[in-house]
Amino acid sequence: MEIATLLNLGCFVLCFLFSQNGKASGNSQLPVATKVWWTSINFKTILEWEPKPSGYAYTVEFFGKKTDVQKSPRCIKIQTTECDLTSFLLNLTDSYTAHVISEPIETVDKTEEYPFTRSDKFTPYKDTKIGQPTFKIEENEAKDNIKLLIETPLSSIRGPNNTFLSIQEIFKKDLEYVTYYRKASSTGKKEAKSKINEIDVPVDRGESYCFTVNIVIPSRTDENQQSQESATHCSHSEKPFYEEYGIGVLVGLILAPVLLLVAIVMGVCCCRRKKNANKEENSPDGVPLKGV
């Protein structure tokens, strides 16, 4: 009696496992995406994966903690390896997960479950990268203070009037600006911060200063706090060039073309000497072609 019971139990377990395996994998003949990742900058968010399909297609579905399961109409039975979900991830603080589903190009049974690969979670407010800010330099009349007027990049999120919101409009008070600056003649950097998009920097009169600007979001994890760094811009200097950069730089600028010219002349002379030597070696009977 006990043996029969154990046999029946074993058969039940095996049948259950086989049925679950079939349900989870769906059509086991279809390859699945081996890698899925999010690429997002300024809230322009694209889901990407590998490999490119051959003989089958991909469908993307996504959902969040506060968002029901959805599919983008542009990402159903596609044969590419990316899906732009920017216009769907509008709850910027929601945490989203995506499934990249492998499907036959021609689906017969719509109720059949197909294999898929799950993405990592993605929260736009915390995870999108922030692009480069731009800025202008304004000097006061006394030439002892410089004001940086900073402009944040536009996002891919539209506001109530259907225009794109700036990064500043989205993050509001959860955003600050930092500039790293130095004298044009020096490598030592200083730092200044501001909660608004203007930074005042006291400077030495007549000196040229160079600046870069970053947007910082302190509420984020360390690796995602800073934006891409801006281009470097420098203020004008009232000093002569040699005073601004030093005699050493001036001498270097003068000597560099002279040394280059000497190197070219020496190279040409060496080539001619080698060419003449080859002519002598290749003359008839090994007699140098003198006087020719």
Side-chain angles (χ1 to χ4, degrees), residues 31-44:
V32 295
T34 56
K35 183 181 177 184
V36 180
W37 69 96
W38 299 92
T39 300
S40 182
I41 181 167
N42 297 333
F43 297 97
K44 173 76 171 178

Side-chain angles (χ1 to χ4, degrees), residues 41-43 151-157 164-167 169-170:
I41 181 167
N42 297 333
F43 297 97
E151 189 171 330
T152 63
L154 291 176
S155 74
S156 295
I157 305 299
F164 291 112
L165 297 175
S166 71
I167 293 299
E169 289 175 306
I170 292 175

Side-chain angles (χ1 to χ4, degrees), residues 86-151:
T86 302
S87 59
F88 294 93
L89 311 185
L90 298 180
N91 186 339
L92 302 183
T93 58
D94 200 358
S95 184
Y96 296 94
T97 301
H99 292 164
V100 179
I101 306 167
S102 300
E103 294 183 334
I105 295 175
E106 297 294 335
T107 302
V108 178
D109 184 2
K110 293 185 178 181
T111 63
E112 185 174 354
E113 294 185 16
Y114 295 104
F116 63 85
T117 301
R118 183 191 301 264
S119 74
D120 292 333
K121 291 185 184 299
F122 174 77
T123 304
Y125 194 86
K126 294 181 179 179
D127 296 327
T128 194
K129 303 296 182 185
I130 307 301
Q132 282 186 323
T134 56
F135 68 96
K136 295 178 181 178
I137 294 175
E138 283 189 359
E139 298 181 71
N140 64 354
E141 290 185 9
K143 303 295 183 182
D144 60 0
N145 188 85
I146 287 177
K147 178 177 288 188
L148 305 183
L149 304 176
I150 306 166
E151 189 171 330

Side-chain angles (χ1 to χ4, degrees), residues 3-22:
I3 294 175
T5 302
L6 289 173
L7 287 172
N8 288 334
L9 181 60
C11 289
F12 173 79
V13 170
L14 287 172
C15 290
F16 175 78
L17 289 175
F18 279 124
S19 66
Q20 289 298 106
N21 184 56

Side-chain angles (χ1 to χ4, degrees), residues 30-31 51-58 79 105:
L30 294 173
K52 188 174 181 179
S54 178
Y56 63 101
Y58 291 116
Q79 293 192 283
I105 295 175

Side-chain angles (χ1 to χ4, degrees), residues 39-245:
T39 300
S40 182
I41 181 167
N42 297 333
F43 297 97
K44 173 76 171 178
T45 302
I46 297 174
L47 185 73
E48 298 182 73
W49 60 88
E50 296 176 355
K52 188 174 181 179
S54 178
Y56 63 101
Y58 291 116
T59 292
V60 174
E61 68 178 17
F62 60 95
F63 55 92
K65 290 182 178 179
K66 305 172 186 176
T67 306
D68 293 335
V69 177
Q70 300 179 46
K71 292 180 181 178
S72 166
R74 296 188 298 270
C75 300
I76 295 175
K77 288 188 174 298
I78 57 175
Q79 293 192 283
T80 56
T81 56
E82 66 177 41
C83 176
D84 189 341
L85 294 175
T86 302
S87 59
F88 294 93
L89 311 185
L90 298 180
N91 186 339
L92 302 183
T93 58
D94 200 358
S95 184
Y96 296 94
T97 301
H99 292 164
V100 179
I101 306 167
S102 300
E103 294 183 334
I105 295 175
E106 297 294 335
T107 302
V108 178
D109 184 2
K110 293 185 178 181
T111 63
E112 185 174 354
E113 294 185 16
Y114 295 104
F116 63 85
T117 301
R118 183 191 301 264
S119 74
D120 292 333
K121 291 185 184 299
F122 174 77
T123 304
Y125 194 86
K126 294 181 179 179
D127 296 327
T128 194
K129 303 296 182 185
I130 307 301
Q132 282 186 323
T134 56
F135 68 96
K136 295 178 181 178
I137 294 175
E138 283 189 359
E139 298 181 71
N140 64 354
E141 290 185 9
K143 303 295 183 182
D144 60 0
N145 188 85
I146 287 177
K147 178 177 288 188
L148 305 183
L149 304 176
I150 306 166
E151 189 171 330
T152 63
L154 291 176
S155 74
S156 295
I157 305 299
R158 294 185 182 273
N161 59 356
N162 206 36
T163 59
F164 291 112
L165 297 175
S166 71
I167 293 299
Q168 185 178 26
E169 289 175 306
I170 292 175
F171 287 98
K172 299 178 182 177
K173 293 183 179 180
D174 193 16
L175 178 151
E176 62 183 35
Y177 304 89
V178 59
T179 180
Y180 299 98
Y181 65 98
R182 59 177 175 80
K183 289 183 179 179
S185 57
S186 171
T187 57
K189 287 187 178 182
K190 293 183 179 180
E191 178 184 303
K193 294 182 179 181
S194 174
K195 291 292 290 184
I196 60 174
N197 63 334
E198 296 181 3
I199 301 179
D200 284 299
V201 179
V203 296
D204 293 335
R205 186 177 301 173
E207 292 277 1
S208 173
Y209 285 80
C210 295
F211 301 85
T212 58
V213 170
N214 284 78
I215 299 168
V216 180
I217 304 167
S219 64
R220 288 181 162 196
T221 56
D222 291 345
E223 63 270 17
N224 276 339
Q225 282 190 3
Q226 293 210 12
S227 69
Q228 296 174 355
E229 191 171 72
S230 72
T232 300
H233 296 295
C234 300
S235 63
H236 297 293
S237 172
E238 297 178 351
K239 289 184 175 183
F241 180 85
Y242 65 87
E243 285 188 24
E244 179 73 25
Y245 293 97

